[in-house]
Amino acid sequence: MITCISPIDGSVYAERTPLGASDATAAVDRARAAQSAWAARPLAERIALVQDGVARIGAMNDQIVPELAHQMGRPIRYGGEFGGFNERATYMAEIAQDALADIVIEDSDTFRRVIKRVPHGVVLVVAPWNYPYMTAINTVAPALIAGNAVMLKHASQTPLVGERLAQAFHAAGIPDDVFQNVFLDHQTTSDLIAAKSFGFVNFTGSVGGGRAIETAAAGTFTGVGLELGGKDPGYVCDDADVQAAADTLIDGAMFNSGQCCCGIERIYVAEALFDDFVAKAVEIVKGYRLGNPLDPETTIGPMAHARFAETVREQTAEAIAAGATAHIDPADFPQDNGAYLMPQILTNVTHDMRVMREESFGPVVGIMAVKDDVEAIRLMNDSDYGLTAAVWTRDAARAEAIADQIETGTVFMNRADYLDPALCWTGCKDTGRGGGLSVIGYHNLTRPKSYHLKKA
């Protein structure tokens, strides 16, 4: 049984029965059978149907927002994910005609030589719970637009999300077998991948989960896209706007209880600005209100599961025992218990501490002083992960020069924790491989097919 335990009160919020092996295989067969007719529809028609489905999710937002609070703990005051969900889907719809256009090399009296982009067939999307709508739509929308059938396996913590997406897309007119929300256990998922059921698999989740996907796909030559862990750094240069940097980086560290793929997990600050930055950061965090996410006054809700919160507590306690200084008084957050985790800022941290090396995925951030750009770059690169990095400076040329030396997928200047759908969403090292959104997202969700036609 797939069970969602609500972080609000530990009660069972939803239960779903996963498909058995034969039913899962039958679902794949239906998707394959339906895909060719879907791909044969005009591109403009596929785009319009996906956009209609997206709009229907927007129309459900009043129901979706409290559902998200119950499933994964995000406060209702933030209004859900439709803004980003819509932005990403809309952009991918807008660029589809150009991104999927034939590349004509020659069309003369003698030859027609062209490269077309054709769908993989059936795409499996394995989506995470932390931003369950936005992460899913990154692949679902362009995969459908490109002519693939899609099977969505959502996280057990957010089982209602896939059902809502299926409800919206089917009501829009996308055939039931072209977009399927499926409940699968890990073993059945691995078995389907190993059986070459899919033309492409996109997974967002843990490093361990990514390894399991790669292991299942080994030898099948199935295309795999992986967005895994992160330990994203921020660097505040000596010419930065300290208040703006503190406002944005601390929000990037604490929003969604720190459960953001590209959240800020470690911050490096030029020595001259260090004390001022820390003071501003502490002031910001002390203004948070931890509590029930259904309360409009709550600014930081529970983590999605008590065991996630416990991992962060352990990292924090180990760091303090090893000499780190905690700046947030537990007395300011008396609700701290179980899945409800108080935010914390740590200084006197080192890279020998787990809190500065392992993914925390919670509302804690370590802050270190650095002498110069060279030291900051070395520390930012001293990580097994590489999703995003944020550089704060008034000098764009300096930011780009630093960015060129950071081992990461995206570099921000004077902002953080944002996904621009026009840019490729990608990572390096243990963060994974592949890329979503942008024109490159379409390239990964299709394959090139060459036509070399000699005319009689």
Side-chain angles (χ1 to χ4, degrees):
M1 186 67 69
I2 292 171
T3 303
C4 169
I5 303 296
S6 175
I8 291 177
D9 57 9
S11 64
V12 174
Y13 183 66
E15 288 186 317
R16 299 292 185 270
T17 302
L19 296 178
S22 60
D23 287 338
T25 300
V28 171
D29 291 342
R30 292 195 303 273
R32 283 178 174 164
Q35 184 268 327
S36 57
W38 173 250
R41 294 197 189 192
L43 175 58
E45 182 179 332
R46 298 198 302 267
I47 291 170
L49 289 171
V50 170
Q51 288 181 308
D52 187 2
V54 168
R56 289 171 187 270
I57 288 291
M60 299 178 195
N61 203 51
D62 287 347
Q63 293 79 44
I64 285 173
V65 169
E67 286 176 357
L68 287 174
H70 280 287
Q71 291 174 95
M72 49 73 65
R74 187 183 305 123
I76 61 170
R77 69 178 290 135
Y78 298 118
E81 300 177 24
F82 185 69
F85 177 91
N86 185 55
E87 178 187 26
R88 298 172 190 191
T90 298
Y91 181 80
M92 295 307 285
E94 288 173 347
I95 68 167
Q97 292 281 358
D98 289 337
L100 296 169
D102 296 347
I103 302 172
V104 179
I105 308 302
E106 178 184 358
D107 196 358
S108 67
D109 292 340
T110 340
F111 286 100
R112 173 167 166 79
R113 295 182 296 143
V114 61
I115 303 167
K116 297 185 179 183
R117 301 218 65 91
V118 299
H120 289 300
V122 182
V123 172
L124 174 65
V125 179
V126 184
W129 50 263
N130 63 319
Y131 280 91
Y133 283 92
M134 289 197 290
T135 53
I137 204 65
N138 290 352
T139 307
V140 169
L144 288 170
I145 288 171
N148 298 284
V150 172
M151 294 180 68
L152 172 64
K153 174 197 179 301
H154 223 300
S156 59
Q157 194 65 40
T158 44
L160 274 62
V161 173
E163 293 177 338
R164 287 292 192 185
L165 289 169
Q167 177 185 348
F169 285 133
H170 296 161
I174 295 173
D176 290 4
D177 292 337
V178 169
F179 179 79
Q180 297 183 54
N181 174 60
V182 291
F183 295 103
L184 303 172
D185 60 29
H186 295 327
Q187 188 59 56
T188 302
T189 304
S190 294
D191 290 345
L192 289 174
I193 294 170
K196 300 185 179 182
S197 300
F198 310 108
F200 189 82
V201 177
N202 190 87
F203 172 82
T204 305
S206 68
V207 174
R211 289 196 182 102
I213 296 289
E214 281 203 327
T215 298
T220 68
F221 309 115
T222 301
V224 175
L226 303 170
E227 184 202 326
L228 311 176
K231 195 71 182 174
D232 292 7
Y235 172 36
V236 182
C237 299
D238 53 13
D239 66 340
D241 180 330
V242 180
Q243 187 64 62
D247 287 340
T248 304
L249 290 175
I250 296 305
D251 180 69
M254 303 296 173
F255 187 78
N256 205 37
S257 298
Q259 300 168 130
C260 303
C261 299
C262 56
I264 297 295
E265 296 214 358
R266 50 200 175 104
I267 300 173
Y268 307 98
V269 183
E271 287 178 333
L273 304 182
F274 182 79
D275 290 342
D276 189 18
F277 181 89
V278 171
K280 287 179 167 55
V282 170
E283 181 181 6
I284 292 166
V285 171
K286 284 184 175 180
Y288 291 159
R289 177 172 173 178
L290 174 65
N292 189 317
L294 298 173
D295 181 349
E297 298 302 312
T298 294
T299 57
I300 184 167
M303 295 189 68
H305 199 287
R307 64 185 171 86
F308 303 154
E310 192 56 36
T311 295
V312 182
R313 288 190 179 99
E314 290 171 357
Q315 289 183 354
T316 303
E318 287 175 12
I320 293 170
T325 300
H327 290 263
I328 306 302
D329 188 342
D332 293 336
F333 293 92
Q335 307 92 333
D336 184 282
N337 186 49
Y340 290 84
L341 178 63
M342 64 171 283
Q344 187 56 271
I345 291 173
L346 301 173
T347 59
N348 295 323
V349 288
T350 72
H351 278 214
D352 294 325
M353 299 173 180
R354 280 204 300 154
V355 77
M356 293 298 283
R357 299 201 63 84
E358 296 182 9
E359 185 173 38
S360 300
F361 220 60
V364 60
V365 65
I367 308 176
M368 295 176 65
V370 293
K371 294 185 175 66
D372 53 27
D373 294 350
V374 172
E375 184 180 16
I377 292 165
R378 178 181 64 80
L379 289 169
M380 284 190 283
N381 286 338
D382 183 27
S383 174
D384 293 332
Y385 302 104
L387 184 58
T388 77
V391 178
W392 287 77
T393 175
R394 301 175 193 271
D395 185 339
R398 180 184 183 184
E400 190 162 349
I402 293 169
D404 287 343
Q405 300 173 70
I406 304 175
E407 298 162 356
T408 193
T410 296
V411 181
F412 299 106
M413 172 183 167
N414 297 340
R415 75 177 312 174
D417 192 24
Y418 173 70
L419 193 159
D420 181 345
L423 299 175
C424 183
W425 190 243
T426 186
C428 61
K429 300 192 280 190
D430 282 0
T431 290
R433 68 179 188 181
L437 298 173
S438 76
V439 66
I440 293 173
Y442 275 117
H443 290 177
N444 287 330
L445 291 167
T446 56
R447 66 177 179 86
K449 184 176 181 180
S450 294
Y451 293 71
H452 193 133
L453 310 178
K454 182 180 180 181
K455 299 178 180 178

